[in-house]
Amino acid sequence: MKAVDISLTELRPAPWNPNQMDETMMERLRESISRYGLVEPLVVRKINNQQYEVLSGNQRLEVVEEMGCLTVPCVLVKLDDTRAMLLAQALNGLRGEDDLALKGALLKEILSSVPENEILSLLPETTESLKSLSLINEMDLAEHLKAWEKAQAGRLRHMQLQFTDEQLETVEEAVSLMITKAKEGGFDNPNTRGNAVFLLCKFYLERRNLE
Amino acid sequence: MSAGSVMVSTTSIHAGRAGSSPSPALQSIRMQPIPFIAAKQIVVKHHYLHSLPGGTKLAFGAFVEGRLLGVITFGVGPYNVFSLVEGTCPNDCLTLTRLWLSEELPPNSESRVISVCLRYLRKYTKLKFIMTYADPAQRHVGTIYQATGWLYTGLSEATPKFDIGDGIARNSRSLAQALGSHSLKYLSERGLNVKVLPQIPKHRYIYFLDQDYRNRLKPTTLPYPKKETDESR
């Protein structure tokens, strides 16, 4: 099938298109089109003498309109309404799935020569996901578990408590009074509030023992 | 994750002690740690529960020829589960929370993956035991746990889930995170209508990494439950 250039004035977005794109993704699409151009033709069908309906590429149509393009390459298909809807669904839905290990290796290679901010402007990734995925195939199970075990040994214990507003006020007052002493240091625990609660409990226990 | 969650999501479960003499195909499966972000992506998409529980501590991937074809995760599991074994603390155990393997992997891969993970956990951590659950509602009896030598301790307590009106089934820990308390009395007195969603008990299995703790198991071990067949249903 050959792509033909069609004037934007003749193209209409499909009103039934269920595929939506949020603004973040639209921004990435704009970046991609402005950087690489419209590398994939739209898929359209003729709906009357002067108009073509876009079956695939409705978001790209929006972007090229914003950019002031006059024509875009389109692949023209001849389909009735429901077959057009079916093809649009097939084009949107029939995609492979990334193997995350292979994707990670690819991202690593890209990262080796393309700045991270450029990658993030085009791909739906975050700094964290980019870093994590690029290392996916490089971690050793034994080393990971050794490091995890070490981290567990040094991990501070959490205690979650629930208070009413009134109780919390009392607890906060007591903790804030003890904070100065907790700040004096001498604890293994770097959490000052934790140390303050510890001192309060210790104070209570010592006093209770005296009684 | 509540005790009620089901862990294994596979289309076919193959019995047999694959851990003992793995075939070359099984030996080609390489287990490696993977980022939680990757584990979550795969579990949400492929595991039938479509969620990675909060409290996930370890996530490993099953790699074959550079492809990631499976995920197994371990997490904190149900509240107080450690107390099933005398003289242990919460840090002594983890719960196998999710297992999903691609159909592209060879038969007995589930057993192989679990065996390798247990071997590494035994060798490189101080964990004493691992828990896991199989959901009878999914017609799971825990065949792969039976194949890998776990002890069966019967059906777990059916801890309910809670809906605070948003249609999400939360366990009591998540309920407390959402509303500050899991006391239904307290919440009801304050006009919060929490719907209790009864759950059915799950088959509970335990695997001792440290055999010294085997005799401290409080529940009695029971014969393995059998998978229902069409004839026996």
Side-chain angles (χ1 to χ4, degrees):
Chain A
M1 270 184 180
K2 265 186 160 179
V4 290
D5 284 337
I6 296 179
S7 165
L8 252 68
T9 56
E10 294 177 280
L11 294 174
R12 296 285 172 270
W16 40 261
N17 175 36
N19 190 268
Q20 304 294 312
M21 195 177 265
D22 65 24
E23 191 44 43
T24 313
M25 290 296 277
M26 280 298 279
E27 193 49 51
R28 289 187 173 115
L29 183 61
R30 283 185 199 103
E31 181 67 25
S32 168
I33 292 175
S34 69
R35 195 179 287 268
Y36 299 109
L38 193 71
V39 292
E40 201 181 339
L42 309 187
V43 178
V44 303
R45 67 166 182 153
K46 197 162 193 172
I47 46 173
N48 59 44
N49 283 342
Q50 291 297 315
Q51 289 189 314
Y52 297 87
E53 186 175 65
V54 178
L55 310 186
S56 172
N58 284 286
Q59 275 90 16
R60 281 175 286 154
L61 175 66
E62 199 178 318
V63 172
V64 292
E65 274 176 340
E66 283 172 14
M67 293 167 79
C69 297
L70 298 176
T71 63
V72 286
C74 300
V75 168
L76 187 57
V77 293
K78 217 172 162 180
L79 293 172
D80 62 29
D81 289 354
T82 49
R83 291 284 191 279
M85 291 172 183
L86 181 60
L87 175 63
Q89 280 299 285
L91 291 171
N92 278 334
L94 287 179
R95 290 177 190 276
E97 184 190 347
D98 284 341
D99 180 288
L100 291 183
L102 298 177
K103 181 179 175 178
L106 194 75
L107 289 174
K108 191 183 174 193
E109 193 174 332
I110 296 170
L111 267 170
S112 69
S113 56
V114 179
E116 185 183 296
N117 58 2
E118 188 178 331
I119 301 171
L120 293 177
S121 72
L122 288 169
L123 301 183
E125 301 294 343
T126 61
T127 302
E128 191 201 355
S129 70
L130 204 57
K131 191 180 168 196
S132 297
L133 290 174
S134 66
L135 296 173
I136 198 168
N137 212 355
E138 297 188 356
M139 295 191 279
D140 177 77
L141 188 50
E143 291 306 316
H144 179 80
L145 285 176
K146 279 188 222 168
W148 182 79
E149 182 59 40
K150 203 171 169 184
Q152 296 310 298
R155 196 165 65 96
L156 294 172
R157 306 285 178 254
H158 284 251
M159 181 184 244
Q160 200 178 24
L161 303 167
Q162 281 91 30
F163 299 107
T164 62
D165 288 345
E166 202 179 327
Q167 287 173 332
L168 186 63
E169 218 171 281
T170 305
V171 173
E172 288 285 10
E173 190 184 345
V175 169
S176 66
L177 288 171
M178 195 55 94
I179 280 280
T180 320
K181 188 142 185 69
K183 279 181 179 167
E184 287 173 7
F187 299 99
D188 290 340
N189 183 357
N191 186 286
T192 312
R193 287 169 65 81
N195 290 329
V197 172
F198 164 73
L199 287 173
L200 282 168
C201 295
K202 194 164 164 259
F203 174 73
Y204 167 74
L205 288 174
E206 284 168 358
R207 193 174 147 186
R208 190 168 169 266
N209 288 340
L210 285 175
E211 283 169 0
Chain B
M1 191 210 67
S2 76
S5 295
V6 176
M7 314 312 147
V8 186
S9 182
T10 49
T11 47
S12 57
I13 292 189
H14 314 277
R17 291 186 175 266
S20 52
S21 56
S23 65
L26 289 176
Q27 284 180 335
S28 71
I29 302 173
R30 200 162 39 89
M31 296 306 297
Q32 281 183 260
I34 56 171
F36 290 170
I37 199 168
K40 184 171 183 177
Q41 215 168 308
I42 292 172
V43 166
V44 167
K45 177 148 192 180
H46 295 291
H47 193 277
Y48 70 88
L49 289 174
H50 303 294
S51 68
L52 186 66
T56 298
K57 299 284 182 189
L58 294 166
F60 305 134
F63 291 81
V64 176
E65 293 174 356
R67 291 181 61 204
L68 178 54
L69 296 177
V71 168
I72 182 168
T73 61
F74 296 87
V76 290
Y79 178 67
N80 264 354
V81 71
F82 69 94
S83 60
L84 290 171
V85 179
E86 191 74 50
T88 59
C89 66
N91 289 339
D92 287 334
C93 71
L94 285 180
T95 297
L96 194 172
T97 49
R98 297 286 186 270
L99 171 62
W100 173 82
L101 299 181
S102 161
E103 287 176 55
E104 291 182 53
L105 288 169
N108 293 323
S109 293
E110 298 89 350
S111 304
R112 172 68 177 165
V113 164
I114 291 173
S115 298
V116 170
C117 289
L118 294 176
R119 197 164 70 228
Y120 273 80
L121 288 171
R122 180 189 291 122
K123 188 167 179 185
Y124 294 105
T125 72
K126 289 180 182 154
L127 291 165
K128 309 295 185 266
F129 63 96
I130 305 290
M131 301 297 305
T132 197
Y133 299 83
D135 189 354
Q138 298 291 328
R139 301 185 60 210
H140 291 170
V141 293
T143 310
I144 53 170
Y145 308 124
Q146 298 175 14
T148 42
W150 296 59
L151 301 173
Y152 179 62
T153 63
L155 292 165
S156 65
E157 276 179 42
T159 49
K161 292 200 173 182
F162 306 94
D163 180 357
I164 62 174
D166 57 4
I168 298 171
R170 292 176 168 82
N171 58 35
S172 67
R173 196 182 287 156
S174 304
L175 177 68
Q177 273 169 4
L179 298 179
S181 171
H182 50 61
S183 162
L184 294 184
K185 185 170 171 280
Y186 175 85
L187 295 172
S188 155
E189 283 168 3
R190 273 139 195 89
L192 292 162
N193 184 25
V194 178
K195 196 173 163 190
V196 180
L197 309 170
Q199 302 292 301
I200 65 161
K202 309 291 186 286
H203 296 295
R204 187 177 58 200
Y205 289 85
I206 184 166
Y207 188 93
F208 282 95
L209 299 171
D210 185 336
Q211 287 302 319
D212 290 346
Y213 284 76
R214 167 70 183 82
N215 293 333
R216 303 188 191 186
L217 177 63
K218 291 181 194 167
T220 314
T221 55
L222 299 169
Y224 288 146
K226 290 192 175 115
K227 196 160 186 97
E228 273 184 25
T229 62
D230 288 340
E231 292 76 32
S232 64
R233 228 179 303 148

